[in-house]
Amino acid sequence: MVFPVHQQVPAPATASPRRHRSAVAGPAGGLLELQRAAGNRAVARLAVQRCGPTPCDCSPAEREAEETPVQRVAADFRVTGKSPKASTDLRSIYFDHESSTVTAPDDTKFAAFAGVPMSTVRLKGTASEEERRGPGRAALVDDRIAAVSGPLTAGSPGTGNPTPRPDLSSGGLDYRSARRVEVLVGNQQSTAPVCTPSPDISCGPSPNAFDTAHARAVVLLADARNALGTPTAAPAVGPLTALFHGPANAAAVDTGLAAIEAHLPHMLPVIPLHDAAAAGHRCINTCLGDDFLASNRGSGTSARMTLGPKFLNEPDVTERALVLIHEGSHGATGLITDDEAYQWQRLLAALPLNRALNNADSFTRFVALVANPALASVAQVDDTSRLTGAGQAAKANETMAWLEQWLVQSRLDLRSLYSHVSDAVTAAAWRPAGGHYRDNVMTLLVGDFGVTAPPAAPVMDDQEKIAGIFDRLFALRRKITGQAFTFRVGGYRWSSGPGTSIRVPTTFFGTSARTRVERLLRLAVNAAPFIETSRREHYYRLVKRLSAGSGP
Ligand SMILES: [Zn+2]
Ligand SMILES: [Zn+2]
């Protein structure tokens, strides 16, 4: 199906989630034991009421938490393991799901703070939104702060105590990053995102990351169109051949680039903070993940472009300009591209002409290659050298390319759904902007995953389930994008992981292209240890349904 929002994403580093521990250790364990012994409702009564019956500034999620006993997301939707940021963010201590135990690599971070006067330190503690939605949430955050405060104070004896700053608000879709304690020295500011009423942030004073990228995009597009004036010569001929089936199609490519050029001025208006409808550009924080690059909704003068942390943190102005060109191609009147294949996908080089001329990254890559002909492809190349039958290698590569595309788009669909469900939970009703995802994605989750059937408003349970589904689809997508696979003939088997070895029978190559993708999808899901056995059929069916309108 064609979605109204087109999202641009980088290929993130591969990270394998750790399995959930069977027991929770540390100070939080006591409360868990108490809950098991006494029942959730009894524990709920012990908690201090933070929201009274009168209106307060609590979020709907917090209010719901006050009114219901301790709830936990079911095990097969749980997001476990520590954030990959644990190894790079030396200012924060990260925790596993429901845990307040400091483990490697975070246990080595305290030494750097030895000698820092603890009276100047604030400890901002947070939990992911699905951890202890009930009153135990405050206890978990307090336990985490205590687990950090102890070792810090021991390293700077006689310098006072750190100030605890528990924050019980929700930190968005990236659950692992929300399970942490930030060590803020002096007037250091927290990097934890504020997700309500929206993830909107200022794009910064001019000239900001958008302004400089926009100016560069104007130049890059002019250069690319200029190069198309002589399509049979460098620098146009190479990228025309690689992306658009040869210099004969130069005029069609130029028509597309001209449409993007004409759209650039429509990006300029600054969308007011938390305005859900205005056109132009806006910037968001990490509530939808720090890998959020950019997206576009609508076209022409009503196009709404969103720029995420991955864009704002990109130091290379040309890279940022290419992001604007990509999003501009989605919103350009007369062009309105789709995301048929990102430039880091196997499928990009295999797109037929009509799909290439409808693909945002085909235009973007063309502009990039004119600016820098030495750019190397980053798409995976699978090893099909062990396939000797006529046409087998080509069919194997085609199948992998489409499987990657199905998984790329499916996980993006779930991320968009999460965003709209989050809005709908806050508003206690679906908003018009979320209608497409309500009708085309949420509805697919009702039967197999048990979410609230639209048009009824979704609840926090649904939001947490969607985050869990997203996490598993993203892990599977990273596996497919992050490694090359070797095909062999003989039986149906994908090594566990999914690992790098794929076996298919000879009959596989006699089936339709779509059937081949479905077969590989089933093998991939079955080979994923992070997808619960009882859920495998559901994930297979979900990706298949989300890809119903896609190729091949
Ligand atoms: Zn689309
Ligand atoms: Zn896109």
Side-chain angles (χ1 to χ4, degrees):
M1 77 193 61
V2 175
F3 289 106
V5 176
H6 294 279
Q7 317 193 38
Q8 192 177 356
V9 287
T14 306
S16 51
R18 265 175 44 203
R19 304 312 302 156
H20 187 241
R21 289 199 306 275
S22 55
V24 177
L31 182 59
L32 284 183
E33 291 306 322
L34 181 59
Q35 283 162 354
R36 286 191 199 101
N40 286 341
R41 198 168 292 276
V43 176
R45 279 201 300 272
L46 296 176
V48 178
Q49 288 269 318
R50 285 179 296 108
C51 294
T54 51
C56 67
D57 60 357
C58 295
S59 71
E62 282 176 303
R63 194 166 297 119
E64 185 184 343
E66 294 293 340
E67 291 160 0
T68 51
V70 175
Q71 293 188 23
R72 299 264 161 65
V73 67
D76 51 353
F77 294 105
R78 223 167 261 162
V79 175
T80 60
K82 289 212 292 193
S83 170
K85 278 189 264 182
S87 52
T88 54
D89 175 7
L90 304 180
R91 219 181 71 184
S92 295
I93 306 296
Y94 290 86
F95 297 88
D96 204 337
H97 175 253
E98 287 281 358
S99 170
S100 55
T101 303
V102 179
T103 58
D106 295 279
D107 52 358
T108 62
K109 295 175 181 174
F110 298 116
F113 294 95
V116 172
M118 285 300 121
S119 57
T120 68
V121 171
R122 286 159 296 136
L123 298 179
K124 175 161 177 157
T126 50
S128 49
E129 66 186 8
E130 93 297 5
E131 285 182 307
R132 313 263 184 103
R133 224 164 69 208
R137 184 174 183 80
L140 176 62
V141 171
D142 287 347
D143 285 347
R144 284 178 176 167
I145 291 175
V148 173
S149 184
L152 280 180
T153 307
S156 300
T159 63
N161 292 308
T163 307
R165 288 266 190 267
D167 179 352
L168 302 185
S169 66
S170 295
L173 176 58
D174 186 357
Y175 285 2
R176 293 185 186 88
S177 292
R179 299 166 187 155
R180 67 167 167 161
V181 172
E182 266 182 300
V183 182
L184 302 168
V185 179
N187 50 16
Q188 273 177 346
Q189 294 303 299
S190 168
T191 60
V194 177
C195 302
T196 51
S198 85
D200 288 8
I201 55 172
S202 163
C203 297
S206 293
N208 58 34
F210 166 80
D211 299 323
T212 53
H214 193 273
R216 179 64 63 91
V218 171
V219 175
L220 288 176
L221 279 171
D223 289 351
R225 295 194 64 197
N226 188 45
L228 283 171
T230 45
T232 54
V237 64
L240 276 175
T241 304
L243 297 161
F244 293 104
H245 299 257
N249 301 306
V253 176
D254 189 56
T255 300
L257 294 181
I260 300 171
E261 210 170 38
H263 181 71
L264 284 180
H266 304 324
M267 295 177 179
L268 289 171
V270 176
I271 295 175
L273 290 181
H274 314 306
D275 184 321
H281 73 278
R282 66 169 186 144
C283 295
I284 63 167
N285 60 25
T286 59
C287 288
L288 293 175
D290 55 10
D291 70 314
F292 193 107
L293 187 56
S295 69
N296 176 79
R297 197 174 85 208
S299 63
T301 52
S302 59
R304 215 176 125 78
M305 184 172 64
T306 299
L307 302 170
K310 192 84 182 177
F311 174 90
L312 297 170
N313 294 330
E314 171 57 60
D316 186 328
V317 65
T318 298
E319 288 299 318
R320 292 200 309 276
L322 291 168
V323 172
L324 299 189
I325 289 168
H326 174 112
E327 300 307 332
S329 78
H330 288 320
T333 306
L335 180 61
I336 309 193
T337 59
D338 213 327
D339 283 319
E340 306 272 3
Y342 294 115
Q343 28 191 324
W344 41 267
Q345 283 181 239
R346 294 162 170 89
L347 191 57
L348 183 79
L351 289 178
L353 180 62
N354 64 326
R355 285 191 188 268
L357 288 169
N358 186 46
N359 182 42
D361 257 1
S362 295
F363 288 102
T364 307
R365 183 84 184 162
F366 178 84
V367 173
L369 282 168
V370 167
N372 179 8
L375 275 184
S377 169
V378 290
Q380 287 292 346
V381 178
D382 299 307
D383 178 11
T384 49
S385 62
R386 289 167 178 88
L387 298 177
T388 52
Q392 286 181 346
K395 285 180 176 175
N397 283 328
E398 180 195 27
T399 311
M400 279 307 299
W402 281 108
L403 176 64
E404 184 177 43
Q405 168 71 352
W406 285 18
L407 291 171
V408 163
Q409 291 300 325
S410 292
R411 87 97 185 173
L412 290 176
D413 290 340
L414 266 291
R415 184 173 72 181
S416 292
L417 178 66
Y418 175 90
S419 167
H420 291 296
V421 163
S422 179
D423 288 347
V425 169
T426 303
W430 285 93
R431 288 174 174 171
H436 185 89
Y437 289 91
R438 175 195 64 206
D439 297 342
N440 294 285
V441 184
M442 189 72 169
T443 50
L444 298 182
L445 304 180
V446 173
D448 283 342
F449 295 98
V451 300
T452 304
V459 295
M460 275 306 290
D461 274 340
D462 300 321
Q463 186 170 324
E464 295 171 1
K465 282 182 177 176
I466 290 162
I469 298 167
F470 166 86
D471 187 63
R472 286 156 180 80
L473 284 180
F474 197 7
L476 187 58
R477 197 285 264 165
R478 283 196 301 260
K479 286 285 184 188
I480 303 304
T481 298
Q483 57 190 345
F485 299 98
T486 298
F487 281 81
R488 291 182 184 79
V489 168
Y492 266 118
R493 205 181 94 77
W494 195 322
S495 57
S496 180
T500 58
S501 165
I502 302 173
R503 287 185 174 277
V504 291
T506 309
T507 52
F508 172 81
F509 299 101
T511 60
S512 74
R514 189 166 195 93
T515 300
R516 291 198 303 271
V517 183
E518 292 176 359
R519 296 258 160 91
L520 279 201
L521 170 63
R522 188 180 283 284
L523 293 184
V525 169
N526 288 348
F530 46 85
I531 295 180
E532 289 73 8
T533 310
S534 62
R535 286 276 173 204
R536 285 178 178 164
E537 183 65 22
H538 301 160
Y539 281 90
Y540 167 73
R541 205 149 43 207
L542 175 61
V543 174
K544 211 170 93 165
R545 287 174 177 167
L546 286 171
S547 310
S550 171

